[in-house]
Amino acid sequence: MNTRVMNADEVNRAITRIAHEVLEKNKGAHDLVIVGIRTRGVFIADRLAAKIKEIEGEAIPVGIIDITLYRDDIKSSPSKHIVKKTEIPFSITDKKVILVDDVLYTGRSIRAAIDGLIDFGRPANIQLAVLIDRGHRELPIRADFVGKNIPTSHDESVKVMLKEEDGVDKVTVISDQ
Amino acid sequence: MINKLKSKDLLGTKDLSPEEILLILNTAESMKEISSRDIKKVPALRGKTIINLFYESSTRTRTSFEIAGKRLSADVVNISVSTSSVAKGETLRDTAKNLEAMNPDAVVIRHSSSGASEYIAKILRCPVINAGDGAHEHPTQALLDLFTIREKKKELKGLKVSIIGDIAHSRVARSNIYAMNKMGMDVTVSGPSTLIPVDIEKIGVKVVNDVVKAIEGADVIIMLRIQLERQEKGLFPSIREYSRLFGLNTEKLKNAKEDVIIMHPGPMNRGVEISADVADGQYSLILDQVTNGVAVRMAVLHLLTGGA
């Protein structure tokens, strides 16, 4: 069974709200950089940067991180992940890094992404923004900015669809029953 | 799109599908960025052991595999023949079995006999990567050549490639011919007729004896090393004559396309198969090949040993 939990407007509003929260917490866009986790985190990162530019008038550097080479779950996954490019063409040292992903679940992807970021320099801090937090953490990781909390069970999966990749903005919860 | 290679080993480009070649090239493209970081290391192969087993001397390839393994956090062990028990008469089979008893995750082998890597691959459970076996194949060299060409020309399909020199003894030529044919490229070979195998057309190349004709219209020129010991066997009269007739120099290059690229697998005999001004000139991608070699070998090591 599939339940739609967010439509395009709701996704847009959530990202707008996160943009405001990021600016409020950091007292503006100064020293901010945004890094999206492949694949869908990248699109949310781009949208977040566009919103911040709209609000604050300041363009923020946006980077892309591919966590395949940092994962700890490759052995258990049936299909291997294809290694894609990491593109962080700016220094993150002493910057406030907003790390962006679509769904926060076990926290293992975020752990991998943090390890990856640290290889690029020593940021002033790393803050986490996610569109969906579905719970079930396996590591001590929490998000600083959340679009929507969706309580789920382990048998369910959360599917985030974004225009850039899937042609439509939509979040659904898919359960096996 | 496929996400892994079907064989446990990489023994040659002959057995790769076009999709597999693309997977390796695309993965290498992602790997290349790692070498430009301040911290040139990712944890992907942490805890894996890679053995470099080199029965023939090599600087570039061995170092390239070693750096590739280390940038992926693998532990790399180098065995070269002069310091190993091979010098005491151990057979290839025994060496392989003994290495296997130490549980490596991959073995990279270079050997002077064609087929040595396949022989070892049948004995070992772990992936075996052929780093050159006799006059047979040198797949990672061909893959890094394709990578370098694609980086410059964007598209491989339809490109005209001329491989010039000692085709008969060249594993680089063979691996390149197989791989380039699969990618829809158009390969010509040229050189002294004593160094071009009879029937080479059967594997899908044109033979043009006149080097100048082979240079004309080529998008890519690959010069091969002329092994000086071949002269002693009487395959060509003198180094000087070889250089004059078959060597690439500024004069011959006047016949080439404006956007030609020139490559050489190394080590070069400057002034023999390639003149110094061409080797260091604007069309030369010889050092790009070396840089890209690390990325391509990282891709191959990761695809064969990562997360299997």
Short mmCIF file of all heavy atoms in Angstrom, two decimals, chain A residues 112-161:
data_model
loop_
_atom_site.label_atom_id
_atom_site.label_comp_id
_atom_site.label_asym_id
_atom_site.label_seq_id
_atom_site.Cartn_x
_atom_site.Cartn_y
_atom_site.Cartn_z
N ALA A 112 28.86 8.33 6.80
CA ALA A 112 29.78 8.22 5.66
C ALA A 112 30.05 9.60 5.07
O ALA A 112 31.19 9.94 4.73
CB ALA A 112 29.18 7.30 4.61
N ALA A 113 29.00 10.41 4.94
CA ALA A 113 29.16 11.74 4.35
C ALA A 113 30.04 12.64 5.23
O ALA A 113 30.86 13.41 4.72
CB ALA A 113 27.80 12.39 4.13
N ILE A 114 29.87 12.53 6.54
CA ILE A 114 30.70 13.35 7.45
C ILE A 114 32.16 12.94 7.31
O ILE A 114 33.05 13.78 7.20
CB ILE A 114 30.21 13.21 8.92
CG1 ILE A 114 28.81 13.84 9.07
CG2 ILE A 114 31.20 13.87 9.88
CD1 ILE A 114 28.15 13.59 10.42
N ASP A 115 32.42 11.62 7.29
CA ASP A 115 33.79 11.15 7.08
C ASP A 115 34.37 11.71 5.78
O ASP A 115 35.52 12.12 5.72
CB ASP A 115 33.84 9.62 7.02
CG ASP A 115 33.82 9.00 8.41
OD1 ASP A 115 33.88 9.76 9.39
OD2 ASP A 115 33.74 7.75 8.51
N GLY A 116 33.54 11.70 4.73
CA GLY A 116 33.99 12.23 3.44
C GLY A 116 34.30 13.71 3.53
O GLY A 116 35.35 14.17 3.06
N LEU A 117 33.41 14.48 4.15
CA LEU A 117 33.61 15.93 4.27
C LEU A 117 34.91 16.27 4.98
O LEU A 117 35.65 17.17 4.58
CB LEU A 117 32.45 16.56 5.03
CG LEU A 117 31.16 16.83 4.25
CD1 LEU A 117 30.11 17.40 5.19
CD2 LEU A 117 31.43 17.81 3.11
N ILE A 118 35.18 15.51 6.06
CA ILE A 118 36.36 15.79 6.87
C ILE A 118 37.65 15.63 6.04
O ILE A 118 38.65 16.30 6.29
CB ILE A 118 36.40 14.86 8.12
CG1 ILE A 118 35.16 15.07 9.00
CG2 ILE A 118 37.68 15.02 8.91
CD1 ILE A 118 35.06 16.41 9.67
N ASP A 119 37.60 14.76 5.02
CA ASP A 119 38.76 14.60 4.14
C ASP A 119 39.00 15.84 3.29
O ASP A 119 40.06 15.99 2.68
CB ASP A 119 38.56 13.39 3.20
CG ASP A 119 38.84 12.08 3.92
OD1 ASP A 119 39.31 12.12 5.07
OD2 ASP A 119 38.59 11.01 3.33
N PHE A 120 38.02 16.71 3.21
CA PHE A 120 38.17 17.92 2.39
C PHE A 120 38.62 19.13 3.20
O PHE A 120 38.84 20.19 2.64
CB PHE A 120 36.86 18.24 1.68
CG PHE A 120 36.64 17.40 0.45
CD1 PHE A 120 36.09 16.14 0.56
CD2 PHE A 120 37.05 17.85 -0.79
CE1 PHE A 120 35.91 15.34 -0.57
CE2 PHE A 120 36.87 17.07 -1.92
CZ PHE A 120 36.30 15.81 -1.80
N GLY A 121 38.68 19.00 4.50
CA GLY A 121 39.10 20.14 5.30
C GLY A 121 38.46 20.08 6.67
O GLY A 121 37.82 19.09 7.04
N ARG A 122 38.65 21.17 7.43
CA ARG A 122 38.11 21.19 8.78
C ARG A 122 37.06 22.29 8.88
O ARG A 122 37.37 23.45 9.08
CB ARG A 122 39.23 21.46 9.79
CG ARG A 122 38.76 21.35 11.23
CD ARG A 122 39.89 21.66 12.19
NE ARG A 122 39.47 21.45 13.56
CZ ARG A 122 38.73 22.29 14.27
NH1 ARG A 122 38.31 23.42 13.72
NH2 ARG A 122 38.40 22.02 15.51
N PRO A 123 35.80 21.91 8.67
CA PRO A 123 34.74 22.92 8.72
C PRO A 123 34.56 23.47 10.13
O PRO A 123 34.90 22.79 11.12
CB PRO A 123 33.49 22.16 8.27
CG PRO A 123 33.81 20.72 8.37
CD PRO A 123 35.29 20.57 8.39
N ALA A 124 34.02 24.68 10.24
CA ALA A 124 33.71 25.25 11.55
C ALA A 124 32.66 24.38 12.23
O ALA A 124 32.75 24.09 13.42
CB ALA A 124 33.18 26.68 11.40
N ASN A 125 31.66 23.97 11.47
CA ASN A 125 30.70 22.98 11.97
C ASN A 125 29.97 22.35 10.80
O ASN A 125 30.06 22.84 9.66
CB ASN A 125 29.72 23.58 12.98
CG ASN A 125 28.90 24.72 12.39
OD1 ASN A 125 28.32 24.57 11.31
ND2 ASN A 125 28.86 25.86 13.08
N ILE A 126 29.31 21.25 11.06
CA ILE A 126 28.48 20.60 10.03
C ILE A 126 27.07 20.52 10.60
O ILE A 126 26.87 20.04 11.72
CB ILE A 126 29.00 19.18 9.70
CG1 ILE A 126 30.43 19.22 9.15
CG2 ILE A 126 28.07 18.49 8.68
CD1 ILE A 126 31.06 17.85 8.90
N GLN A 127 26.10 21.02 9.83
CA GLN A 127 24.70 20.93 10.24
C GLN A 127 23.97 20.07 9.23
O GLN A 127 24.30 20.07 8.05
CB GLN A 127 24.10 22.34 10.29
CG GLN A 127 24.86 23.27 11.24
CD GLN A 127 24.55 24.75 10.99
OE1 GLN A 127 23.40 25.11 10.73
NE2 GLN A 127 25.56 25.59 11.06
N LEU A 128 22.98 19.34 9.71
CA LEU A 128 22.29 18.40 8.84
C LEU A 128 20.87 18.85 8.53
O LEU A 128 20.09 19.13 9.44
CB LEU A 128 22.27 17.01 9.50
CG LEU A 128 21.53 15.90 8.76
CD1 LEU A 128 22.15 15.64 7.38
CD2 LEU A 128 21.53 14.61 9.58
N ALA A 129 20.55 18.91 7.23
CA ALA A 129 19.19 19.24 6.81
C ALA A 129 18.64 18.07 5.99
O ALA A 129 19.30 17.61 5.07
CB ALA A 129 19.19 20.52 5.97
N VAL A 130 17.46 17.59 6.35
CA VAL A 130 16.84 16.50 5.58
C VAL A 130 15.39 16.84 5.27
O VAL A 130 14.74 17.55 6.03
CB VAL A 130 16.89 15.15 6.34
CG1 VAL A 130 18.34 14.71 6.57
CG2 VAL A 130 16.15 15.22 7.67
N LEU A 131 14.92 16.32 4.15
CA LEU A 131 13.51 16.55 3.82
C LEU A 131 12.62 15.70 4.73
O LEU A 131 11.62 16.17 5.24
CB LEU A 131 13.26 16.21 2.34
CG LEU A 131 11.86 16.52 1.82
CD1 LEU A 131 11.53 18.00 1.93
CD2 LEU A 131 11.72 16.07 0.36
N ILE A 132 13.00 14.44 4.93
CA ILE A 132 12.21 13.52 5.73
C ILE A 132 13.08 12.90 6.82
O ILE A 132 14.19 12.43 6.55
CB ILE A 132 11.67 12.35 4.87
CG1 ILE A 132 10.91 12.86 3.65
CG2 ILE A 132 10.83 11.39 5.72
CD1 ILE A 132 9.62 13.57 3.97
N ASP A 133 12.57 12.86 8.05
CA ASP A 133 13.20 12.05 9.10
C ASP A 133 12.23 10.93 9.43
O ASP A 133 11.12 11.17 9.89
CB ASP A 133 13.46 12.92 10.34
CG ASP A 133 14.17 12.12 11.45
OD1 ASP A 133 14.25 10.88 11.34
OD2 ASP A 133 14.64 12.76 12.41
N ARG A 134 12.64 9.69 9.15
CA ARG A 134 11.72 8.56 9.36
C ARG A 134 12.07 7.73 10.61
O ARG A 134 11.48 6.68 10.85
CB ARG A 134 11.66 7.67 8.12
CG ARG A 134 12.98 7.04 7.72
CD ARG A 134 12.80 5.94 6.70
NE ARG A 134 12.07 4.81 7.26
CZ ARG A 134 11.98 3.61 6.68
NH1 ARG A 134 12.54 3.41 5.51
NH2 ARG A 134 11.33 2.63 7.25
N GLY A 135 13.05 8.19 11.40
CA GLY A 135 13.36 7.50 12.65
C GLY A 135 14.26 6.28 12.45
O GLY A 135 14.86 6.12 11.39
N HIS A 136 14.38 5.45 13.48
CA HIS A 136 15.16 4.20 13.47
C HIS A 136 16.67 4.40 13.34
O HIS A 136 17.34 3.71 12.59
CB HIS A 136 14.70 3.27 12.33
CG HIS A 136 13.26 2.96 12.39
ND1 HIS A 136 12.70 2.19 13.38
CD2 HIS A 136 12.23 3.34 11.58
CE1 HIS A 136 11.40 2.09 13.18
NE2 HIS A 136 11.08 2.79 12.10
N ARG A 137 17.20 5.35 14.10
CA ARG A 137 18.64 5.60 14.03
C ARG A 137 19.45 4.45 14.58
O ARG A 137 19.07 3.81 15.56
CB ARG A 137 18.98 6.88 14.80
CG ARG A 137 19.98 7.73 14.10
CD ARG A 137 19.44 8.48 12.90
NE ARG A 137 18.64 9.62 13.29
CZ ARG A 137 17.41 9.84 12.83
NH1 ARG A 137 16.85 9.01 11.95
NH2 ARG A 137 16.74 10.89 13.22
N GLU A 138 20.57 4.16 13.95
CA GLU A 138 21.50 3.15 14.46
C GLU A 138 22.80 3.79 14.92
O GLU A 138 23.71 3.12 15.39
CB GLU A 138 21.78 2.11 13.36
CG GLU A 138 20.54 1.28 13.03
CD GLU A 138 20.68 0.42 11.78
OE1 GLU A 138 21.77 0.40 11.17
OE2 GLU A 138 19.69 -0.23 11.41
N LEU A 139 22.90 5.09 14.76
CA LEU A 139 24.09 5.83 15.18
C LEU A 139 23.62 7.12 15.88
O LEU A 139 22.51 7.58 15.63
CB LEU A 139 24.95 6.21 13.97
CG LEU A 139 25.59 5.06 13.18
CD1 LEU A 139 26.24 5.59 11.90
CD2 LEU A 139 26.64 4.34 14.02
N PRO A 140 24.47 7.67 16.73
CA PRO A 140 24.05 8.90 17.43
C PRO A 140 24.10 10.13 16.53
O PRO A 140 25.00 10.94 16.61
CB PRO A 140 25.06 9.00 18.58
CG PRO A 140 26.27 8.28 18.09
CD PRO A 140 25.79 7.21 17.19
N ILE A 141 23.12 10.22 15.63
CA ILE A 141 23.07 11.32 14.66
C ILE A 141 21.67 11.90 14.67
O ILE A 141 20.69 11.16 14.76
CB ILE A 141 23.43 10.78 13.25
CG1 ILE A 141 24.97 10.63 13.14
CG2 ILE A 141 22.89 11.68 12.14
CD1 ILE A 141 25.43 9.89 11.91
N ARG A 142 21.59 13.24 14.66
CA ARG A 142 20.25 13.85 14.53
C ARG A 142 20.32 15.01 13.54
O ARG A 142 21.39 15.57 13.29
CB ARG A 142 19.75 14.35 15.89
CG ARG A 142 20.61 15.44 16.45
CD ARG A 142 19.97 16.24 17.55
NE ARG A 142 20.99 17.19 18.00
CZ ARG A 142 21.33 18.29 17.33
NH1 ARG A 142 20.71 18.62 16.22
NH2 ARG A 142 22.28 19.08 17.78
N ALA A 143 19.15 15.34 12.99
CA ALA A 143 19.11 16.42 12.01
C ALA A 143 18.88 17.75 12.70
O ALA A 143 18.17 17.84 13.70
CB ALA A 143 17.99 16.16 11.00
N ASP A 144 19.51 18.81 12.17
CA ASP A 144 19.28 20.16 12.69
C ASP A 144 18.05 20.79 12.05
O ASP A 144 17.40 21.64 12.64
CB ASP A 144 20.51 21.04 12.39
CG ASP A 144 21.76 20.49 13.05
OD1 ASP A 144 21.99 20.83 14.22
OD2 ASP A 144 22.48 19.69 12.41
N PHE A 145 17.76 20.37 10.80
CA PHE A 145 16.61 20.93 10.08
C PHE A 145 15.86 19.78 9.42
O PHE A 145 16.46 18.98 8.71
CB PHE A 145 17.08 21.92 9.01
CG PHE A 145 18.07 22.94 9.53
CD1 PHE A 145 19.43 22.78 9.31
CD2 PHE A 145 17.62 24.03 10.26
CE1 PHE A 145 20.34 23.70 9.80
CE2 PHE A 145 18.53 24.97 10.75
CZ PHE A 145 19.90 24.79 10.54
N VAL A 146 14.55 19.71 9.69
CA VAL A 146 13.76 18.59 9.16
C VAL A 146 12.55 19.15 8.42
O VAL A 146 11.83 19.99 8.94
CB VAL A 146 13.28 17.67 10.31
CG1 VAL A 146 12.41 16.54 9.76
CG2 VAL A 146 14.46 17.12 11.09
N GLY A 147 12.33 18.68 7.18
CA GLY A 147 11.15 19.09 6.43
C GLY A 147 9.90 18.49 7.05
O GLY A 147 8.94 19.18 7.32
N LYS A 148 9.93 17.20 7.29
CA LYS A 148 8.77 16.53 7.88
C LYS A 148 9.23 15.27 8.60
O LYS A 148 10.03 14.50 8.08
CB LYS A 148 7.78 16.17 6.77
CG LYS A 148 6.42 15.71 7.28
CD LYS A 148 5.50 15.44 6.10
CE LYS A 148 4.16 14.86 6.50
NZ LYS A 148 3.27 15.84 7.14
N ASN A 149 8.70 15.08 9.82
CA ASN A 149 8.94 13.83 10.54
C ASN A 149 7.87 12.83 10.15
O ASN A 149 6.68 13.12 10.25
CB ASN A 149 8.87 14.06 12.06
CG ASN A 149 10.13 14.71 12.57
OD1 ASN A 149 11.20 14.10 12.57
ND2 ASN A 149 10.02 15.97 12.98
N ILE A 150 8.28 11.66 9.69
CA ILE A 150 7.31 10.64 9.33
C ILE A 150 7.63 9.37 10.12
O ILE A 150 8.60 8.67 9.80
CB ILE A 150 7.34 10.33 7.82
CG1 ILE A 150 7.11 11.61 7.01
CG2 ILE A 150 6.30 9.29 7.47
CD1 ILE A 150 7.15 11.41 5.52
N PRO A 151 6.83 9.06 11.15
CA PRO A 151 7.09 7.83 11.90
C PRO A 151 6.79 6.63 10.99
O PRO A 151 5.76 6.60 10.32
CB PRO A 151 6.08 7.89 13.06
CG PRO A 151 5.55 9.29 13.06
CD PRO A 151 5.66 9.80 11.67
N THR A 152 7.72 5.70 10.92
CA THR A 152 7.54 4.54 10.03
C THR A 152 7.91 3.27 10.79
O THR A 152 8.53 3.33 11.85
CB THR A 152 8.49 4.62 8.82
OG1 THR A 152 9.84 4.73 9.30
CG2 THR A 152 8.16 5.78 7.92
N SER A 153 7.55 2.14 10.23
CA SER A 153 8.07 0.87 10.75
C SER A 153 9.19 0.41 9.80
O SER A 153 9.31 0.93 8.69
CB SER A 153 6.95 -0.16 10.82
OG SER A 153 6.66 -0.62 9.51
N HIS A 154 9.94 -0.60 10.27
CA HIS A 154 11.06 -1.07 9.45
C HIS A 154 10.61 -1.66 8.11
O HIS A 154 11.36 -1.62 7.13
CB HIS A 154 11.85 -2.13 10.22
CG HIS A 154 12.92 -1.55 11.10
ND1 HIS A 154 13.96 -0.79 10.60
CD2 HIS A 154 13.11 -1.62 12.44
CE1 HIS A 154 14.74 -0.41 11.60
NE2 HIS A 154 14.23 -0.90 12.74
N ASP A 155 9.39 -2.24 8.07
CA ASP A 155 8.94 -2.85 6.80
C ASP A 155 8.52 -1.83 5.77
O ASP A 155 8.35 -2.16 4.61
CB ASP A 155 7.72 -3.78 7.01
CG ASP A 155 7.69 -4.39 8.38
OD1 ASP A 155 8.77 -4.83 8.80
OD2 ASP A 155 6.61 -4.41 9.02
N GLU A 156 8.34 -0.61 6.21
CA GLU A 156 7.93 0.41 5.25
C GLU A 156 9.16 1.05 4.61
O GLU A 156 10.25 1.00 5.15
CB GLU A 156 7.11 1.50 5.97
CG GLU A 156 5.77 0.99 6.46
CD GLU A 156 5.07 2.01 7.35
OE1 GLU A 156 5.75 2.69 8.14
OE2 GLU A 156 3.85 2.13 7.24
N SER A 157 8.94 1.63 3.44
CA SER A 157 10.03 2.45 2.90
C SER A 157 9.46 3.80 2.50
O SER A 157 8.27 3.93 2.20
CB SER A 157 10.72 1.76 1.74
OG SER A 157 9.80 1.51 0.73
N VAL A 158 10.33 4.79 2.52
CA VAL A 158 9.92 6.15 2.18
C VAL A 158 10.52 6.48 0.82
O VAL A 158 11.71 6.33 0.61
CB VAL A 158 10.40 7.16 3.23
CG1 VAL A 158 10.08 8.58 2.79
CG2 VAL A 158 9.79 6.86 4.58
N LYS A 159 9.66 6.88 -0.09
CA LYS A 159 10.15 7.19 -1.43
C LYS A 159 10.00 8.69 -1.69
O LYS A 159 8.89 9.21 -1.72
CB LYS A 159 9.37 6.39 -2.45
CG LYS A 159 9.94 6.52 -3.84
CD LYS A 159 9.34 5.53 -4.80
CE LYS A 159 10.11 5.58 -6.11
NZ LYS A 159 9.44 4.91 -7.18
N VAL A 160 11.13 9.33 -1.87
CA VAL A 160 11.11 10.76 -2.21
C VAL A 160 11.31 10.87 -3.72
O VAL A 160 12.26 10.34 -4.27
CB VAL A 160 12.22 11.53 -1.46
CG1 VAL A 160 12.32 12.95 -1.98
CG2 VAL A 160 11.96 11.52 0.03
N MET A 161 10.38 11.53 -4.37
CA MET A 161 10.53 11.77 -5.81
C MET A 161 10.69 13.27 -6.03
O MET A 161 9.96 14.07 -5.44
CB MET A 161 9.30 11.25 -6.55
CG MET A 161 9.14 9.74 -6.42
SD MET A 161 7.62 9.13 -7.16
CE MET A 161 8.11 9.00 -8.86
#
